[in-house]
Amino acid sequence: MASVTLKGNKFHTSGSLPAVGTKAPDFTLTATDLSTKKLSDFKGSKVVLNIFPSIDTGTCAMSVRTFNKEASELDNTKVVCISHDLPFAQARFCGAEGLENVVNLSDYKNGSFGKDYGLNFVDGPLETLHSRVVVVLDENGTVKYTEQVSEIVDEPNYKGALEALLDD
C-alpha cells in the first residue's frame, strides 16, 4: 500500500506498482469504440501507460495532451491513457482537443486494472479511482519505469518516462 496526497491530505492506494524488470499484468479494458483491449494487443510496441483519476481534471487533461505531443515524435511507441471515465467522455475530450496519438481505455466495468496494478485509492474523496501513475513497458511487456505521483494534483515526470523509452 502506497500513500499519495491530495492537496497535502494523505490517502492510500490498494497496493504496490508492478516492479521494474517484471512482466506487467495483462488487463482487459474498454476502448472508446466500446471494443475490448488487452495489454497483449500492444505486444511489439513500447507502451506508456498514463493512468489518472479523470480526464475531466486539469492535470489529467494536461498529461494526455503532453504525452500525445511526445508520442508523435517516437517510433514504435503507444501511449495508453487509462481512467475510470466512461469511453464516451474519453472520446469527447480527445475529439475536442484533436488528440490522435493516444489510445484511451476505460476501467469503468469492474476496476480490476487498478486493483491488479495496485493503484486504486482505497480511502478519501477519490476512493476507487486511479491514482496518477506512469508505467513504461518495453516491446515484450516488461516494466522499464514506474512513477506514482506523490501529490495527485502534480503532473508526472514526463522526461523520466520518455528517457525510459530510449533506454535499451
Side-chain angles (χ1 to χ4, degrees):
M1 181 178 292
S3 296
V4 176
T5 59
L6 171 62
K7 297 182 180 178
N9 297 305
K10 189 177 194 178
F11 302 103
H12 302 94
T13 62
S14 57
S16 299
L17 299 178
V20 171
T22 64
K23 289 285 188 187
D26 202 3
F27 55 71
T28 302
L29 297 169
T30 305
T32 57
D33 65 0
L34 301 181
S35 65
T36 298
K37 294 289 183 190
K38 296 178 176 271
L39 177 58
S40 55
D41 294 332
F42 300 99
K43 187 174 173 111
S45 296
K46 295 177 183 179
V47 178
V48 176
L49 300 177
N50 177 34
I51 307 155
F52 47 84
S54 175
I55 203 158
D56 285 322
T57 67
T59 305
C60 300
M62 183 56 72
S63 73
V64 174
R65 287 185 199 105
T66 301
F67 278 124
N68 176 75
K69 178 182 179 296
E70 300 296 335
S72 67
E73 300 171 7
L74 300 173
D75 291 328
N76 195 33
T77 302
K78 304 285 186 201
V79 175
V80 180
C81 298
I82 303 171
S83 67
H84 274 284
D85 291 302
L86 291 176
F88 316 113
Q90 294 171 332
R92 173 197 43 78
F93 175 83
C94 286
E97 296 277 331
L99 304 179
E100 299 175 353
N101 298 318
V102 296
V103 176
N104 285 290
L105 298 178
S106 177
D107 192 20
Y108 83 99
K109 286 188 177 178
N110 64 17
S112 63
F113 170 83
K115 293 172 190 165
D116 292 345
Y117 278 68
L119 53 83
N120 280 354
F121 283 109
V122 296
D123 55 11
L126 301 178
E127 186 175 355
T128 74
L129 295 179
H130 298 152
S131 58
R132 187 174 318 290
V133 169
V134 176
V135 178
V136 175
L137 310 174
D138 70 11
E139 296 91 333
N140 298 309
T142 300
V143 178
K144 305 251 316 166
Y145 172 90
T146 63
E147 177 193 12
Q148 183 157 45
V149 179
S150 60
E151 170 56 55
I152 195 71
V153 299
D154 291 343
E155 291 182 60
N157 178 358
Y158 303 111
K159 183 179 178 187
L162 296 171
E163 286 175 354
L165 289 167
L166 303 175
D167 279 346
D168 281 327

